[in-house]
Structures are given as structure tokens and as C-alpha cells.
Amino acid sequence: MPETTGDWAPADFERHGHELLATLRQHFELIRDVPVARPYDAAELMGCLDTALPEQGEEFPRILTDTWENVVPDLVHWNHPAFHAYFSTCASFPACSPRR
């Protein structure tokens, strides 16, 4: 029996890449509907992240979902078209996109 390295097979890598790109596409389609940043309590955020690591690896869809639900909402969205802490540029897809 061959030894497994834990790496994804090329077909799995491609499938997960498509899942990620679909999630990013949806994010950019809806970016005008999310706040640039939202207030949060840093201790509360750390409490969500500071948990024991799983004994076994988790499936990619679960990791992607957890990231999108528990991390992304608390980010400052620098690529948001309403982010003006710096001079706006047309360096991101939403900044270049016409308003709907």
C-alpha cells in the first residue's frame, strides 16, 4: 500500500479551487452590501479563534465555510469600493465595477 502524504490529488485541488473561486465571486458580487468594517470586541474574536486544534484534518468545504462565517465578517475589507482610508485606486475588481 503506498504511503499517503496528505496532499490533494490534482483533481481534488482543481475542485476545491473552483469552490474557492465561486465563494470569492459571490463575495465580490455582494461586496456593496457588506460593511467595509464592523465593530467587534477583540477578546470575543480571539475567543472564537483560540480553540483546540482538531486531532484530524477537516474537509476543505468545512474549512472554507468556517473561514467565511467566522473570519471574513470581521475583516476590514480593503478592496471594498467604499474603503477610503487610502487614496482609492482601480486595483481591485469591485473598485472598477460599475454600480448596479
XYZ file of all heavy atoms in Angstrom:
805
model
N 0.854 -1.181 0.000
C 0.000 0.000 0.000
C 0.897 1.241 0.000
O 1.772 1.376 0.845
C -0.911 -0.045 1.224
C -1.769 1.180 1.376
S -2.803 1.075 2.843
C -4.373 1.035 2.068
N 0.675 2.187 -0.942
C 1.527 3.372 -0.992
C 1.298 4.279 0.213
O 0.206 4.362 0.754
C 1.114 4.064 -2.285
C -0.202 3.492 -2.658
C -0.311 2.157 -1.983
N 2.360 4.945 0.618
C 2.283 5.872 1.740
C 1.569 7.143 1.291
O 1.787 7.642 0.195
C 3.714 6.223 2.176
C 3.827 6.449 3.646
C 5.267 6.666 4.033
O 6.093 5.766 3.797
O 5.541 7.745 4.550
N 0.692 7.659 2.136
C -0.018 8.883 1.785
C 0.680 10.087 2.417
O 1.139 10.019 3.548
C -1.492 8.823 2.220
O -2.106 10.064 1.873
C -1.651 8.615 3.709
N 0.758 11.162 1.661
C 1.399 12.381 2.172
C 0.373 13.364 2.706
O 0.735 14.350 3.322
C 2.186 13.082 1.041
O 1.264 13.452 0.010
C 3.265 12.182 0.489
N -0.902 13.110 2.442
C -1.944 14.039 2.857
C -2.211 15.113 1.825
O -3.099 15.945 1.998
N -1.444 15.115 0.740
C -1.664 16.100 -0.311
C -2.929 15.755 -1.094
O -3.321 14.597 -1.184
C -0.481 16.131 -1.290
C 0.771 16.695 -0.672
O 0.672 17.370 0.369
O 1.849 16.459 -1.238
N -3.545 16.786 -1.675
C -4.699 16.560 -2.530
C -4.258 16.003 -3.860
O -3.202 16.369 -4.388
C -5.418 17.870 -2.811
C -6.179 18.449 -1.659
C -6.676 17.799 -0.575
C -6.534 19.818 -1.495
N -7.323 18.667 0.246
C -7.253 19.924 -0.296
C -6.330 20.958 -2.251
C -7.765 21.127 0.171
C -6.833 22.161 -1.781
C -7.548 22.236 -0.588
N -5.077 15.163 -4.412
C -4.877 14.726 -5.790
C -5.135 15.931 -6.683
O -5.895 16.835 -6.310
C -5.846 13.593 -6.125
N -4.526 15.998 -7.862
C -4.742 17.147 -8.740
C -6.220 17.447 -9.006
O -6.621 18.609 -9.038
C -4.008 16.751 -10.020
C -2.892 15.882 -9.529
C -3.508 15.085 -8.400
N -7.052 16.426 -9.159
C -8.482 16.659 -9.402
C -9.146 17.300 -8.181
O -10.011 18.177 -8.323
C -9.182 15.353 -9.760
N -8.759 16.889 -6.966
C -9.306 17.496 -5.745
C -8.860 18.956 -5.631
O -9.641 19.824 -5.243
C -8.858 16.732 -4.502
C -9.464 15.347 -4.434
O -10.572 15.149 -4.991
O -8.833 14.459 -3.829
N -7.604 19.222 -5.961
C -7.075 20.582 -5.940
C -7.898 21.481 -6.867
O -8.311 22.588 -6.497
C -5.607 20.565 -6.358
C -4.943 21.900 -6.322
C -4.476 22.427 -5.123
C -4.776 22.638 -7.478
C -3.854 23.662 -5.082
C -4.156 23.874 -7.455
C -3.696 24.388 -6.247
N -8.188 20.986 -8.053
C -8.975 21.760 -9.016
C -10.402 21.983 -8.505
O -10.935 23.089 -8.578
C -9.006 21.045 -10.365
C -9.788 21.809 -11.419
C -9.797 21.098 -12.759
O -9.457 19.902 -12.830
O -10.168 21.764 -13.740
N -11.003 20.931 -7.955
C -12.380 21.034 -7.445
C -12.461 22.053 -6.311
O -13.346 22.913 -6.291
C -12.864 19.663 -6.970
C -14.293 19.653 -6.471
C -14.806 18.229 -6.219
N -13.859 17.360 -5.556
C -13.709 17.276 -4.223
N -14.453 18.019 -3.426
N -12.841 16.445 -3.696
N -11.512 21.995 -5.387
C -11.505 22.945 -4.266
C -11.195 24.365 -4.755
O -11.724 25.338 -4.214
C -10.506 22.518 -3.201
C -10.874 21.226 -2.534
N -12.154 20.917 -2.149
C -10.115 20.165 -2.182
C -12.175 19.721 -1.589
N -10.948 19.241 -1.595
N -10.365 24.468 -5.769
C -10.099 25.779 -6.361
C -11.362 26.392 -6.932
O -11.620 27.589 -6.766
N -12.183 25.570 -7.592
C -13.456 26.057 -8.127
C -14.388 26.497 -6.997
O -15.069 27.525 -7.118
C -14.135 24.987 -8.986
C -13.502 24.789 -10.318
N -13.624 25.696 -11.346
C -12.722 23.786 -10.792
C -12.951 25.266 -12.394
N -12.382 24.104 -12.082
N -14.403 25.738 -5.900
C -15.234 26.111 -4.746
C -14.800 27.467 -4.201
O -15.644 28.325 -3.906
C -15.115 25.062 -3.636
C -15.732 23.724 -3.942
C -15.421 22.714 -2.852
O -15.749 22.986 -1.676
O -14.847 21.655 -3.176
N -13.501 27.656 -4.064
C -12.981 28.917 -3.545
C -13.294 30.074 -4.489
O -13.751 31.136 -4.063
C -11.471 28.816 -3.309
C -10.789 30.088 -2.837
C -11.384 30.595 -1.522
C -9.292 29.861 -2.696
N -13.076 29.883 -5.779
C -13.366 30.948 -6.739
C -14.853 31.294 -6.768
O -15.214 32.469 -6.892
C -12.880 30.556 -8.134
C -11.366 30.608 -8.316
C -10.986 30.078 -9.696
C -10.828 32.011 -8.119
N -15.718 30.313 -6.633
C -17.156 30.594 -6.591
C -17.502 31.413 -5.347
O -18.316 32.344 -5.416
C -17.954 29.286 -6.610
N -16.880 31.092 -4.229
C -17.108 31.846 -2.997
C -16.604 33.283 -3.148
O -17.282 34.233 -2.744
C -16.403 31.152 -1.810
O -16.925 29.814 -1.699
C -16.635 31.890 -0.517
N -15.437 33.458 -3.737
C -14.897 34.801 -3.958
C -15.757 35.588 -4.940
O -16.008 36.784 -4.747
C -13.462 34.716 -4.471
C -12.430 34.244 -3.455
C -11.101 33.978 -4.140
C -12.276 35.256 -2.338
N -16.227 34.938 -5.998
C -17.116 35.610 -6.951
C -18.354 36.131 -6.246
O -18.744 37.290 -6.398
C -17.527 34.662 -8.077
C -18.341 35.387 -9.170
C -19.277 34.482 -9.955
N -20.370 34.068 -9.084
C -20.727 32.808 -8.870
N -20.083 31.825 -9.451
N -21.720 32.517 -8.073
N -18.954 35.296 -5.412
C -20.150 35.710 -4.681
C -19.827 36.875 -3.750
O -20.604 37.829 -3.641
C -20.723 34.536 -3.892
C -21.996 34.900 -3.156
C -22.565 33.725 -2.396
O -21.878 32.748 -2.108
N -23.831 33.816 -2.056
N -18.682 36.829 -3.104
C -18.260 37.917 -2.214
C -18.186 39.231 -2.985
O -18.702 40.257 -2.538
C -16.902 37.568 -1.593
C -16.284 38.688 -0.832
N -16.766 39.115 0.387
C -15.232 39.481 -1.118
C -16.027 40.123 0.821
N -15.081 40.357 -0.071
N -17.561 39.218 -4.147
C -17.420 40.448 -4.925
C -18.745 40.895 -5.538
O -18.973 42.086 -5.714
C -16.347 40.295 -5.993
C -14.964 40.309 -5.410
C -14.117 39.234 -5.579
C -14.514 41.393 -4.681
C -12.844 39.235 -5.041
C -13.242 41.412 -4.125
C -12.412 40.337 -4.304
N -19.639 39.957 -5.836
C -20.960 40.338 -6.342
C -21.769 41.076 -5.278
O -22.566 41.953 -5.597
C -21.734 39.104 -6.808
C -21.231 38.531 -8.110
C -21.912 37.228 -8.499
O -22.632 36.623 -7.675
O -21.704 36.806 -9.645
N -21.550 40.718 -4.027
C -22.334 41.279 -2.918
C -21.556 42.288 -2.078
O -22.067 42.742 -1.053
C -22.832 40.140 -2.020
C -23.672 39.067 -2.708
C -23.970 37.921 -1.747
C -24.954 39.669 -3.255
N -20.349 42.658 -2.489
C -19.484 43.460 -1.628
C -20.098 44.805 -1.240
O -19.860 45.309 -0.151
C -18.078 43.642 -2.223
C -17.143 44.163 -1.138
C -18.105 44.565 -3.433
C -15.747 43.713 -1.241
N -20.912 45.379 -2.097
C -21.539 46.664 -1.762
C -22.585 46.508 -0.659
O -23.026 47.500 -0.084
C -22.155 47.296 -3.000
C -21.107 47.736 -4.006
C -21.723 48.434 -5.198
N -20.754 48.705 -6.229
C -19.894 49.725 -6.228
N -19.886 50.566 -5.219
N -19.052 49.895 -7.227
N -22.982 45.284 -0.364
C -23.983 45.030 0.676
C -23.377 44.707 2.034
O -24.114 44.501 2.994
C -24.890 43.872 0.250
C -25.642 44.161 -1.038
O -25.925 45.344 -1.308
O -25.935 43.200 -1.779
N -22.065 44.633 2.126
C -21.405 44.355 3.411
C -20.674 45.617 3.861
O -20.251 46.426 3.040
C -20.417 43.173 3.309
C -21.115 41.900 2.913
C -19.278 43.476 2.373
N -20.553 45.805 5.160
C -19.824 46.987 5.630
C -18.332 46.856 5.343
O -17.804 45.747 5.272
C -20.091 46.998 7.137
C -20.439 45.594 7.478
C -21.057 44.987 6.247
N -17.676 47.994 5.189
C -16.220 47.986 4.999
C -15.571 47.337 6.215
O -14.652 46.537 6.099
C -15.685 49.421 4.805
C -14.170 49.426 4.766
C -16.254 50.028 3.547
N -16.069 47.683 7.375
C -15.586 47.101 8.639
C -16.750 47.132 9.611
O -17.677 47.918 9.459
C -14.414 47.903 9.184
N -16.707 46.285 10.584
C -17.734 46.330 11.614
C -17.054 46.312 12.971
O -15.985 45.692 13.132
C -18.738 45.200 11.459
C -18.202 43.833 11.742
C -19.293 42.802 11.551
N -18.864 41.514 12.092
C -19.558 40.423 12.001
N -20.707 40.429 11.393
N -19.109 39.295 12.514
N -17.651 46.987 13.920
C -17.039 46.992 15.251
C -17.125 45.600 15.872
O -18.105 44.888 15.683
C -17.877 48.000 16.030
C -19.145 48.134 15.281
C -18.875 47.748 13.854
N -16.086 45.231 16.548
C -16.090 43.950 17.241
C -15.197 44.061 18.461
O -14.340 44.919 18.557
C -15.621 42.808 16.336
C -14.186 42.938 15.865
C -13.138 42.412 16.602
C -13.878 43.609 14.687
C -11.828 42.552 16.186
C -12.571 43.746 14.265
C -11.552 43.213 15.022
O -10.260 43.356 14.596
N -15.426 43.188 19.378
C -14.627 43.100 20.584
C -13.485 42.127 20.293
O -13.725 40.962 19.990
C -15.502 42.589 21.725
C -14.764 42.445 23.036
O -13.523 42.332 23.032
O -15.433 42.445 24.076
N -12.262 42.608 20.383
C -11.105 41.770 20.061
C -11.060 40.516 20.926
O -10.703 39.436 20.449
C -9.813 42.567 20.213
N -11.441 40.626 22.179
C -11.439 39.452 23.067
C -12.455 38.422 22.586
O -12.192 37.217 22.615
C -11.739 39.871 24.499
N -13.609 38.898 22.124
C -14.624 37.978 21.603
C -14.117 37.276 20.349
O -14.287 36.066 20.189
C -15.905 38.751 21.286
C -17.022 37.890 20.767
C -18.256 38.705 20.412
O -18.396 39.846 20.882
O -19.085 38.169 19.655
N -13.481 38.033 19.471
C -12.933 37.445 18.251
C -11.866 36.401 18.590
O -11.860 35.305 18.037
C -12.350 38.530 17.347
C -11.751 38.070 16.033
C -12.782 37.346 15.182
C -11.156 39.244 15.280
N -10.982 36.722 19.514
C -9.935 35.761 19.900
C -10.546 34.513 20.529
O -10.054 33.410 20.319
C -8.931 36.402 20.859
C -7.990 37.373 20.179
S -7.087 36.659 18.781
C -6.147 35.384 19.581
N -11.634 34.682 21.266
C -12.318 33.535 21.855
C -12.841 32.578 20.791
O -12.849 31.366 20.988
N -13.254 33.137 19.656
C -13.739 32.294 18.557
C -12.591 31.544 17.894
O -12.763 30.433 17.401
C -14.438 33.142 17.500
S -15.965 33.887 18.044
N -11.432 32.171 17.857
C -10.305 31.585 17.139
C -9.393 30.740 18.020
O -8.714 29.853 17.536
C -9.470 32.703 16.491
C -10.200 33.569 15.471
C -9.303 34.704 15.019
C -10.662 32.740 14.294
N -9.372 31.041 19.306
C -8.436 30.385 20.216
C -9.052 29.117 20.795
O -9.426 29.060 21.959
C -8.037 31.353 21.332
C -6.869 30.831 22.152
O -6.130 29.955 21.660
O -6.697 31.291 23.293
N -9.187 28.120 19.956
C -9.735 26.841 20.385
C -8.720 25.749 20.063
O -7.780 25.957 19.309
C -11.068 26.533 19.669
O -10.827 26.517 18.261
C -12.123 27.587 19.987
N -8.933 24.605 20.642
C -8.020 23.489 20.406
C -8.066 23.082 18.932
O -9.125 23.090 18.301
C -8.409 22.308 21.288
N -6.919 22.735 18.416
C -6.857 22.258 17.033
C -7.447 20.860 16.950
O -7.342 20.067 17.885
C -5.408 22.236 16.556
C -4.729 23.595 16.462
C -3.259 23.431 16.095
C -5.422 24.477 15.460
N -8.079 20.537 15.836
C -8.665 19.195 15.712
C -7.568 18.131 15.650
O -6.463 18.388 15.191
C -9.442 19.271 14.396
C -8.840 20.402 13.641
C -8.287 21.355 14.649
N -7.912 16.962 16.122
C -6.978 15.831 16.078
C -6.763 15.362 14.644
O -5.689 14.920 14.278
C -7.507 14.676 16.939
C -7.530 14.974 18.421
C -6.132 15.066 19.018
O -5.228 14.319 18.580
O -5.951 15.888 19.930
N -7.807 15.429 13.833
C -7.753 15.005 12.444
C -8.027 16.208 11.546
O -8.730 17.133 11.949
C -8.824 13.931 12.163
C -8.653 12.674 12.996
C -7.401 11.913 12.594
O -7.078 11.810 11.418
N -6.695 11.382 13.578
N -7.481 16.163 10.365
C -7.741 17.223 9.407
C -9.221 17.282 9.056
O -9.934 16.291 9.159
N -9.673 18.470 8.674
C -11.067 18.646 8.302
C -11.174 18.808 6.795
O -10.216 19.196 6.135
C -11.650 19.866 9.015
C -11.684 19.676 10.524
C -12.313 20.853 11.249
O -12.628 21.866 10.599
O -12.481 20.754 12.468
N -12.332 18.515 6.287
C -12.575 18.622 4.856
C -12.560 20.088 4.430
O -12.972 20.971 5.182
C -13.911 17.984 4.489
C -13.949 16.482 4.711
C -12.974 15.736 3.806
O -12.853 16.100 2.623
O -12.334 14.794 4.291
N -12.099 20.342 3.215
C -11.971 21.699 2.716
C -13.285 22.484 2.758
O -13.288 23.643 3.181
C -11.385 21.700 1.296
C -11.214 23.092 0.752
C -10.169 23.888 1.188
C -12.101 23.604 -0.181
C -10.016 25.180 0.711
C -11.951 24.881 -0.674
C -10.903 25.673 -0.227
N -14.419 21.919 2.349
C -15.663 22.705 2.408
C -15.974 23.225 3.814
O -16.442 24.348 3.984
C -16.737 21.733 1.928
C -15.992 20.771 1.052
C -14.638 20.619 1.716
N -15.673 22.434 4.824
C -15.902 22.867 6.213
C -14.970 24.019 6.570
O -15.374 25.000 7.201
C -15.678 21.681 7.152
C -15.529 22.022 8.610
C -16.865 22.013 9.336
N -16.736 22.551 10.660
C -16.731 21.824 11.761
N -16.837 20.522 11.699
N -16.617 22.401 12.931
N -13.706 23.926 6.177
C -12.742 24.988 6.461
C -13.146 26.273 5.738
O -13.114 27.360 6.319
C -11.320 24.547 6.059
C -10.868 23.385 6.947
C -10.345 25.714 6.156
C -9.609 22.709 6.475
N -13.557 26.150 4.489
C -13.976 27.319 3.713
C -15.195 27.973 4.356
O -15.241 29.196 4.523
C -14.270 26.910 2.269
C -14.625 28.026 1.300
C -13.494 29.040 1.179
C -14.948 27.443 -0.073
N -16.165 27.185 4.746
C -17.374 27.708 5.392
C -17.029 28.381 6.718
O -17.485 29.491 6.996
C -18.406 26.590 5.610
O -18.790 26.069 4.335
C -19.637 27.095 6.347
N -16.232 27.719 7.546
C -15.836 28.302 8.829
C -15.101 29.619 8.638
O -15.331 30.584 9.371
C -14.939 27.340 9.616
C -15.706 26.193 10.243
O -16.957 26.223 10.218
O -15.053 25.265 10.763
N -14.224 29.676 7.655
C -13.477 30.908 7.385
C -14.430 32.016 6.969
O -14.348 33.142 7.475
C -12.427 30.672 6.285
O -11.527 29.658 6.719
C -11.654 31.942 5.977
N -15.352 31.702 6.073
C -16.259 32.734 5.563
C -17.244 33.200 6.621
O -17.641 34.360 6.647
C -16.980 32.250 4.308
C -16.882 33.313 3.274
C -17.861 34.185 2.910
C -15.726 33.668 2.520
N -17.376 35.058 1.971
C -16.065 34.760 1.712
C -14.431 33.174 2.455
C -15.179 35.371 0.843
C -13.544 33.777 1.588
C -13.914 34.856 0.797
N -17.631 32.314 7.539
C -18.594 32.691 8.578
C -17.938 33.311 9.806
O -18.548 34.173 10.454
C -19.398 31.464 9.000
C -20.349 30.984 7.922
C -21.094 29.713 8.288
O -20.839 29.141 9.386
O -21.932 29.270 7.484
N -16.711 32.892 10.144
C -16.104 33.305 11.408
C -14.935 34.273 11.289
O -14.533 34.853 12.295
C -15.646 32.066 12.191
C -16.805 31.137 12.496
O -17.869 31.580 12.885
N -16.594 29.856 12.299
N -14.385 34.427 10.107
C -13.224 35.304 9.945
C -13.537 36.493 9.036
O -13.356 37.647 9.407
C -11.996 34.527 9.407
C -10.816 35.452 9.172
C -11.617 33.399 10.362
N -14.042 36.211 7.860
C -14.251 37.258 6.851
C -15.146 38.395 7.344
O -14.838 39.565 7.092
C -14.757 36.648 5.525
C -15.157 37.730 4.532
C -13.676 35.745 4.933
N -16.237 38.133 8.076
C -17.073 39.254 8.516
C -16.341 40.276 9.396
O -16.721 41.436 9.438
C -18.200 38.576 9.306
C -18.274 37.204 8.744
C -16.841 36.843 8.426
N -15.298 39.856 10.090
C -14.578 40.763 10.987
C -13.344 41.393 10.348
O -12.598 42.109 11.020
C -14.192 40.027 12.272
C -15.423 39.667 13.091
O -16.253 40.565 13.313
O -15.560 38.503 13.488
N -13.132 41.149 9.073
C -12.014 41.775 8.375
C -12.353 43.211 8.005
O -13.515 43.573 7.859
C -11.695 41.006 7.090
C -11.206 39.577 7.211
C -11.058 38.968 5.816
C -9.886 39.524 7.955
N -11.330 44.027 7.839
C -11.509 45.319 7.196
C -11.325 45.040 5.708
O -10.273 44.577 5.289
C -10.482 46.359 7.688
C -10.613 47.648 6.901
C -10.666 46.605 9.180
N -12.352 45.302 4.931
C -12.335 44.965 3.511
C -11.654 46.081 2.716
O -12.297 46.996 2.216
C -13.757 44.707 3.014
C -14.404 43.555 3.710
N -14.166 42.251 3.353
C -15.248 43.512 4.757
C -14.844 41.444 4.143
N -15.508 42.192 5.015
N -10.346 45.981 2.607
C -9.555 46.999 1.915
C -9.924 47.103 0.445
O -9.694 48.127 -0.170
C -8.076 46.679 2.038
C -7.508 46.906 3.392
C -8.122 46.727 4.598
C -6.192 47.367 3.693
N -7.272 47.032 5.616
C -6.070 47.425 5.088
C -5.103 47.715 2.906
C -4.912 47.839 5.713
C -3.949 48.122 3.543
C -3.854 48.189 4.928
N -10.482 46.052 -0.125
C -10.850 46.088 -1.545
C -12.314 46.471 -1.746
O -12.846 46.342 -2.826
C -10.545 44.748 -2.214
C -11.264 43.594 -1.550
O -11.833 43.740 -0.482
N -11.231 42.437 -2.162
N -12.951 46.958 -0.703
C -14.337 47.426 -0.783
C -14.366 48.767 -1.501
O -13.503 49.613 -1.275
C -14.894 47.564 0.632
C -16.370 47.723 0.697
N -17.023 48.860 0.276
C -17.331 46.882 1.149
C -18.314 48.714 0.476
N -18.532 47.530 0.997
N -15.330 48.992 -2.391
C -15.368 50.264 -3.116
C -15.578 51.483 -2.216
O -15.285 52.598 -2.617
C -16.536 50.101 -4.092
C -17.165 48.808 -3.799
C -16.334 48.053 -2.835
N -16.044 51.286 -0.976
C -16.234 52.407 -0.059
C -15.079 52.553 0.944
O -15.169 53.354 1.861
C -17.554 52.252 0.693
N -14.022 51.787 0.780
C -12.862 51.901 1.666
C -12.023 53.076 1.179
O -11.489 53.061 0.082
C -12.032 50.614 1.640
C -10.809 50.663 2.525
C -10.925 50.462 3.888
C -9.559 50.910 1.989
C -9.807 50.493 4.706
C -8.436 50.947 2.802
C -8.564 50.742 4.159
N -11.936 54.109 2.015
C -11.215 55.315 1.604
C -10.174 55.737 2.629
O -9.872 56.924 2.747
C -12.196 56.461 1.355
C -13.148 56.174 0.241
N -12.741 56.049 -1.074
C -14.485 55.954 0.240
C -13.782 55.783 -1.832
N -14.851 55.708 -1.054
N -9.605 54.799 3.352
C -8.551 55.158 4.301
C -7.288 55.570 3.560
O -6.474 56.301 4.093
C -8.256 54.003 5.241
N -7.159 55.107 2.362
C -6.060 55.490 1.483
C -6.697 56.009 0.202
O -7.892 55.891 -0.005
C -5.151 54.290 1.181
C -4.624 53.647 2.426
C -5.141 52.429 2.877
C -3.625 54.245 3.177
C -4.665 51.840 4.040
C -3.150 53.661 4.340
C -3.676 52.466 4.760
O -3.215 51.892 5.901
N -5.920 56.560 -0.683
C -6.470 57.007 -1.949
C -7.005 55.801 -2.710
O -6.304 54.815 -2.895
C -5.407 57.734 -2.794
C -5.006 59.052 -2.203
C -3.806 59.183 -1.534
C -5.845 60.155 -2.304
C -3.440 60.394 -0.977
C -5.485 61.367 -1.749
C -4.283 61.494 -1.086
N -8.229 55.895 -3.144
C -8.836 54.790 -3.891
C -8.146 54.627 -5.240
O -7.756 55.603 -5.869
C -10.313 55.064 -4.132
O -10.990 55.100 -2.908
N -8.013 53.407 -5.638
C -7.467 53.111 -6.953
C -8.376 52.102 -7.619
O -9.263 51.540 -6.999
C -6.055 52.502 -6.866
O -6.161 51.226 -6.231
C -5.104 53.400 -6.102
N -8.134 51.868 -8.842
C -8.903 50.867 -9.573
C -8.077 49.582 -9.621
O -7.899 48.979 -10.662
C -9.226 51.378 -10.974
S -10.471 50.367 -11.785
N -7.560 49.167 -8.470
C -6.693 47.999 -8.415
C -7.447 46.740 -8.019
O -6.845 45.688 -7.892
C -5.556 48.246 -7.426
N -8.732 46.848 -7.806
C -9.492 45.660 -7.451
C -10.737 45.582 -8.303
O -11.248 46.592 -8.801
C -9.860 45.682 -5.965
O -10.803 46.690 -5.715
N -11.267 44.398 -8.433
C -12.450 44.176 -9.248
C -13.620 45.073 -8.823
O -14.207 45.741 -9.666
C -12.831 42.695 -9.205
C -14.057 42.387 -10.006
C -14.014 42.368 -11.383
C -15.258 42.119 -9.362
C -15.161 42.082 -12.120
C -16.387 41.834 -10.092
C -16.345 41.818 -11.473
N -13.973 45.117 -7.513
C -15.141 45.937 -7.151
C -14.911 47.429 -7.363
O -15.844 48.170 -7.646
C -15.384 45.620 -5.688
C -14.197 44.921 -5.204
C -13.469 44.361 -6.396
N -13.683 47.887 -7.255
C -13.415 49.303 -7.464
C -13.625 49.693 -8.912
O -13.951 50.838 -9.227
C -11.996 49.641 -7.023
N -13.437 48.759 -9.808
C -13.569 49.026 -11.246
C -14.976 48.735 -11.754
O -15.320 49.129 -12.865
C -12.582 48.161 -12.029
S -10.880 48.460 -11.598
N -15.763 48.037 -10.964
C -17.083 47.602 -11.428
C -18.075 48.756 -11.362
O -18.091 49.519 -10.413
C -17.601 46.479 -10.542
O -16.747 45.382 -10.609
N -18.936 48.852 -12.365
C -19.975 49.880 -12.311
C -20.990 49.547 -11.245
O -21.203 48.368 -10.927
C -20.594 49.821 -13.711
C -20.267 48.469 -14.231
C -18.978 48.054 -13.567
N -21.586 50.560 -10.682
C -22.635 50.339 -9.671
C -23.836 49.698 -10.326
O -24.171 49.992 -11.454
C -23.069 51.670 -9.075
C -22.393 51.998 -7.798
C -23.159 53.171 -7.188
N -22.866 53.479 -5.849
C -23.069 52.708 -4.802
N -23.521 51.521 -4.939
N -22.796 53.115 -3.594
N -24.475 48.792 -9.568
C -25.704 48.165 -10.080
C -26.864 49.052 -9.808
O -26.989 49.783 -8.945
C -25.927 46.820 -9.405
C -25.000 45.779 -9.937
C -25.336 44.442 -9.344
N -24.257 44.132 -8.413
C -24.371 43.447 -7.311
N -25.519 43.002 -6.950
N -23.370 43.192 -6.551
